[in-house]
Amino acid sequence: MSEQATAVTHRLVSSPAGRIHVVEQGTGPLVLLVHGFPESWYSWRHQLPVLAAAGYRAAAIDVRGYGRSSKPGDTEAYRMLELVEDNAAVVHALGEQSAVVVGHDWGSVIAANSALVRPDVFRAVGMLSVPYAPRGGPRPSTVFARLGGDEEFYVSYFQEPGRAEAEIEPDVRGWLAGFYAALSADTMPAPDAPGPHFVSRGGRLRDRFPTGRLPVWLSEHDLDVYAGEFERTGVSGALNRYRNMDRDWEDLADYDGAPLTRPSLFIGGGLDASTTWMADAIKAYPTTLPGLVSSQILDGCGHWIQQERPAEINRLLTGWLASLRA
């Protein structure tokens, strides 16, 4: 591998958010990497050097509200269409006209909508953990309010500004450790234990997090990196993504039921609630993802798949990218 391919560069580029922090490695066709909640560009640390070595320009961003990127104060500034335009602005700021976009968790949803709304910029899309599901059905807040019975679904819990912040920000590192562990294959609660995605009335989300050890993929240093960013920035920018789901539903009305036609890839974890809850979305891929090249479920894998199973994800990503070039 050349010295140029191994060099990692950090830069700030202009976007509708103000600025987006981009971490790059390698040269070649651009692959834009978009993280989820509660993470950062660092979530792609295992992919950047491998993509660079394979002949790509890998660029991992801090989504607006995270890390070194801008954090608008208005909750509405975190709606999906704004994030799509941030992604397009990054591509153009890097001197490119098009890119492949790959996302994990919320990043998967952002990547999918980027390819849906801006197919002029995003020529293919890779989605990790969260399947593609076209806009449709009832208003999201109505759906989430029905879940859990006497308990509250975590997305509903996140809606009120300041509420989740009051739980998280006094102990960011401890909260993150528990959240990561709750969704990791080797540390998640047993199937018959109370679900970590729900909150008891009057309780906290962290009341159901595992304690005592970190997932095998997460070192103390890795946790320090994540915690350090949120201790510096706070978590409101990250949580504001959840607070715009009804606005997204309104903004994307013209795309109701729309298939995503760009060449696509999906990889999910067999033990990830995102995969099991959205099994019907995966079954609908012949209709909703007519450009699907590959769909894979990794047995025994949790939610943080590119960190839990980096070698497998890197193999599947580079294979898919090579098929696009061919």
Side-chain angles (χ1 to χ4, degrees), residues 33 46 61 87 121 132 141 218 236 242 268 286 289 296:
L33 303 170
H46 301 301
I61 66 169
N87 284 353
V121 177
Y132 176 65
S141 60
L218 184 70
S236 291
Y242 291 92
L289 287 179
Q296 305 280 338

Side-chain angles (χ1 to χ4, degrees), residues 36-319:
F37 175 88
E39 303 178 83
S40 76
W41 74 267
Y42 188 75
S43 305
W44 301 103
R45 63 194 177 281
H46 301 301
Q47 284 67 51
L48 286 165
V50 172
L51 292 176
Y56 299 96
R57 183 184 186 188
I61 66 169
D62 282 335
V63 174
R64 72 163 66 185
Y66 288 82
R68 301 183 203 174
S69 293
S70 289
K71 299 159 195 64
D74 186 353
T75 300
E76 294 188 17
Y78 297 85
R79 61 210 308 156
M80 182 59 66
L81 291 180
E82 296 277 1
L83 303 180
V84 167
E85 290 309 313
D86 282 346
N87 284 353
V90 169
V91 173
H92 294 144
L94 295 179
E96 304 288 348
Q97 294 303 310
S98 67
V100 175
V101 60
V102 178
H104 168 256
D105 182 77
W106 262 122
S108 175
V109 184
I110 298 167
N113 280 284
S114 295
L116 181 70
V117 175
R118 294 298 306 269
D120 56 314
V121 177
F122 299 102
R123 57 188 181 85
V125 56
M127 294 162 283
L128 307 186
S129 294
V130 177
Y132 176 65
R135 185 266 189 208
R139 185 178 293 273
S141 60
T142 302
V143 175
F144 298 135
R146 296 172 182 162
L147 298 176
D150 291 336
E151 298 178 336
E152 187 176 16
F153 191 48
Y154 79 103
V155 177
S156 298
Y157 179 71
F158 285 168
Q159 292 304 304
E160 180 185 344
R163 185 182 179 197
E165 287 91 332
E167 172 183 337
I168 299 168
E169 291 184 349
D171 177 23
V172 170
R173 194 178 193 277
W175 194 93
L176 290 175
F179 191 75
Y180 295 146
L183 306 186
S184 298
D186 61 320
T187 49
M188 63 176 52
D192 58 350
H197 295 89
F198 293 89
V199 181
S200 300
R201 296 295 175 184
R204 305 171 303 170
L205 195 63
R206 70 181 300 164
D207 293 340
R208 298 183 179 182
F209 291 170
T211 59
R213 69 185 180 98
L214 297 180
V216 68
W217 62 267
L218 184 70
S219 70
E220 295 285 350
H221 171 73
D222 296 333
L223 182 57
D224 286 342
V225 172
Y226 286 124
E229 290 293 81
F230 288 108
E231 286 165 353
R232 181 173 56 82
T233 67
V235 296
S236 291
L239 290 165
N240 281 341
R241 173 81 293 273
Y242 291 92
R243 296 165 182 160
N244 279 279
M245 296 179 76
D246 281 353
R247 294 186 185 96
D248 299 339
W249 183 81
E250 296 168 356
D251 291 344
L252 295 167
D254 289 346
Y255 295 91
D256 191 83
L260 181 51
T261 59
R262 286 303 198 198
S264 57
L265 167 76
F266 173 73
I267 313 171
L271 298 179
D272 186 1
S274 299
T275 302
T276 54
W277 288 343
M278 300 183 70
D280 288 345
I282 296 173
K283 291 177 183 177
Y285 278 173
T287 300
T288 61
L289 287 179
L292 183 67
V293 175
S294 177
S295 179
Q296 305 280 338
I297 302 295
L298 304 186
D299 291 339
C301 185
H303 180 67
W304 318 102
I305 60 177
Q306 79 269 38
Q307 299 176 85
E308 291 188 51
R309 300 279 188 86
E312 289 178 77
I313 295 299
N314 291 342
R315 176 178 58 80
L316 292 168
L317 271 180
T318 54

